[in-house]
Amino acid sequence: MFANPVFRYRMLTLAEGWSFVLLLVFGSLLSRVSEIDLVMPLGLIHGLLFVLLIVATFLIRRRLGWGVGMTLAALAAAVVPLAPFVLHHWKRAELLAAERAAEPVRA
């Protein structure tokens, strides 16, 4: 399951989206209303997931048959809050079909 690159891309998209939501809600909100400051650890996690998602988008685009426009839309979705969830929902059928058809990566 984790050997499948399309599955990894789908999960990375969701993880990056959730990390952004957590950073905005808990990091920003808690730092303003209390002494709890989660911006640095959550920001570090989100930043790492963001970079991984950008790299993964470029690596997976050919396998999914995405042109320049779709690739740019996927990259833009990584920047806009909640957009990774919209992208995941919009491309769910395509991603699941590609996931079933994909050969696992051999180590």
Side-chain angles (χ1 to χ4, degrees):
M1 190 184 252
F2 288 109
N4 189 314
V6 181
F7 176 79
R8 284 194 312 254
Y9 182 75
R10 276 191 330 110
M11 294 303 110
L12 184 59
T13 302
L14 293 175
E16 194 272 341
W18 279 113
S19 73
F20 203 1
V21 169
L22 291 173
L23 176 62
L24 292 175
V25 172
F26 290 109
S28 297
L29 185 63
L30 283 177
S31 69
R32 294 186 197 291
V33 298
S34 72
E35 295 297 316
I36 301 171
D37 187 13
L38 294 175
V39 173
M40 182 63 176
L42 290 175
L44 183 66
I45 292 168
H46 172 67
L48 176 65
L49 289 171
F50 176 78
V51 170
L52 288 173
L53 182 60
I54 297 301
V55 171
T57 300
F58 282 113
L59 293 175
I60 203 80
R61 68 182 290 265
R62 191 171 292 153
R63 181 182 294 260
L64 295 173
W66 287 355
V68 174
M70 186 57 225
T71 302
L72 289 176
L75 293 173
V79 177
V80 178
L82 302 177
F85 303 115
V86 174
L87 175 74
H88 191 267
H89 180 74
W90 179 36
K91 292 292 186 178
R92 181 177 166 88
E94 177 186 336
L95 291 170
L96 289 175
E99 187 178 320
R100 284 191 292 274
E103 281 290 319
V105 174
R106 304 282 183 217

